[in-house]
Amino acid sequence: MSDRNCLIKNAIVNGKKQDLLIENNIIKKIGNIDDAIDKEETKVIDGNNKIVIPGLINTHTHIPMTLFRGVADDLPLMDWLNNYIWPMEAKLNADIVYAGTLLGCLEMIKSGTTTFNDMYFFLDGIVKAVDEMGMRAVLSYGMIDLFDGEKRKKELKNAEENIKMIKKLNNERIGVALGPHAPYTCSKELLMEVHEMAKKYNIPIHIHMNETLDEIKMVKEKTGMRPFEYLNSFGFFDGVSVIAAHCVHLSDEEIKIIKEKKINVSHNPISNLKLASGIAPIPKLVENGINVTLGTDGCGSNNNLNLFEEIKISSLIHKGATLNPTIINTKQSFEFATKNGAKALDLKCGELKEGYLADIALIDLNKPFLIPKENIYSHLVYSFNGNVDTVIIDGNVVMENGKMLNVNEEKIYEKAEKAYYKLIN
Ligand SMILES: CSC[C@H]1O[C@@H](n2cnc3c(O)ncnc32)[C@H](O)[C@@H]1O
Ligand SMILES: [Zn+2]
């Protein structure tokens, strides 16, 4: 029997009690599917008292940073990076990154995330873990040249080697992007070469933008322009797909650039609150028709990968900031984490539709915080704790009734603990 032929019976799908049939890695049919299905060839999942949702899409992560959880809390970004995170990251190697990624994938699967967009180092370690865990990911090697010509050459060479390595895998679940860290850590020359490379390989660019007031001041002092204006001045956004993480402090002119250049925004409200970076003007971006998605950022600044928390906060924070409870609604914040994420990564998933990728999660509704079983989509945004029941990625059942099917959870915890002690000693 192949897991990749799977029938979910009697679940809530798109607001109605119905069945969902998966063939290979695709949602083949949604509706009342008769029992003439070949039971030998099809795995049947009982969907009674369960809701099927599209797997969540986390558009900004540094996944191996699960190992940095709790190591440097209650600090502002520049102090956090310069004095705590970067010195620890100097001790990383592919094995440590592999262990942190296994843990990150496990945490994401358990909280209903099926795809993530990552920027980090030692991609061979990340690729190995993502492949073993069965997740979908877009991976970029994070480049920082600190305006040094020699470093720039090394970073670009590394990035290109990683692109070739990932393309050669020919793994449909693992895509590649370019990851220049930010305009305050990358030279104009590096950014211009990144733009060329993105066009050459037809891949997206993943970058931190306008996260803090400090960095905007740094870029303004250096270039006389705000970050989006500066990058736009040399055509960085032309003819490429860009995912800009954070976008907390934006001028009206910058919002115009984001709209005009169809830049995807990854909103990371919890990381922005924890590092006291600020509150992104998401309602203004939505009003302008900009594609807003959600990210957790790394576990050093969140401190978890539970995207349901991000969904809830993205709905609450803008109500509080604008004193308007209608400013972002339930449907919008849920779509930030599903449909909009898929659009940003150019993937046919994020919605439960026939012909879409079979990346889904089932949630058991027999939980005190999901009763009464009415207005369930409201519960998913405002009340759910993120512990999903079953997860299917690319048609493969990776977790069923809370149990991981192909990996040993205990071994992942042990490996991660060991890797953590290597990092701190
Ligand atoms: C070059 S790989 C990614 C790089 O980014 C660092 N990082 C993690 N979180 C943030 C953040 O919120 N803003 C800026 N940089 C961040 C991470 O530690 C890696 O060094
Ligand atoms: Zn980040």
Side-chain angles (χ1 to χ4, degrees), residues 2 9 11 22-23 55 61 122 149 152 197 312 324 356 358 368 372-374 382:
S2 160
K9 286 287 294 174
I22 294 168
E23 245 180 51
T61 59
F122 298 103
R152 179 177 83 235
M197 225 187 265
K312 178 171 178 172
N324 178 358
Y356 273 48
K373 287 179 208 157
E374 283 280 327
Y382 293 119

Side-chain angles (χ1 to χ4, degrees), residues 286-302:
V286 171
E287 254 172 49
N288 276 280
I290 290 162
N291 189 41
V292 174
T293 68
L294 286 180
T296 52
D297 214 350
C299 280
S301 60
N302 187 299

Side-chain angles (χ1 to χ4, degrees), residues 2-8 20-22 42-43 45 392 397:
S2 160
D3 270 3
R4 296 177 112 212
N5 285 344
C6 181
L7 175 62
I8 303 166
L20 184 149
L21 178 68
I22 294 168
T42 307
K43 179 182 178 79
I45 294 179
I392 300 176
V397 182

Side-chain angles (χ1 to χ4, degrees), residues 60 62 208 245-246 297-298:
H60 181 62
H62 310 286
H208 293 94
H246 300 299
D297 214 350

Side-chain angles (χ1 to χ4, degrees), residues 132-152:
E132 285 173 19
M133 297 298 289
M135 284 200 75
R136 194 180 300 286
V138 177
L139 306 176
S140 47
Y141 168 72
M143 286 170 266
I144 296 179
D145 71 357
L146 299 175
F147 312 94
D148 173 306
E150 282 309 304
K151 275 197 191 128
R152 179 177 83 235

Side-chain angles (χ1 to χ4, degrees), residues 97-112:
V97 161
Y98 169 66
T101 306
L102 286 175
L103 183 65
C105 289
L106 183 58
E107 190 181 344
M108 285 191 283
I109 289 169
K110 293 210 156 215
S111 51

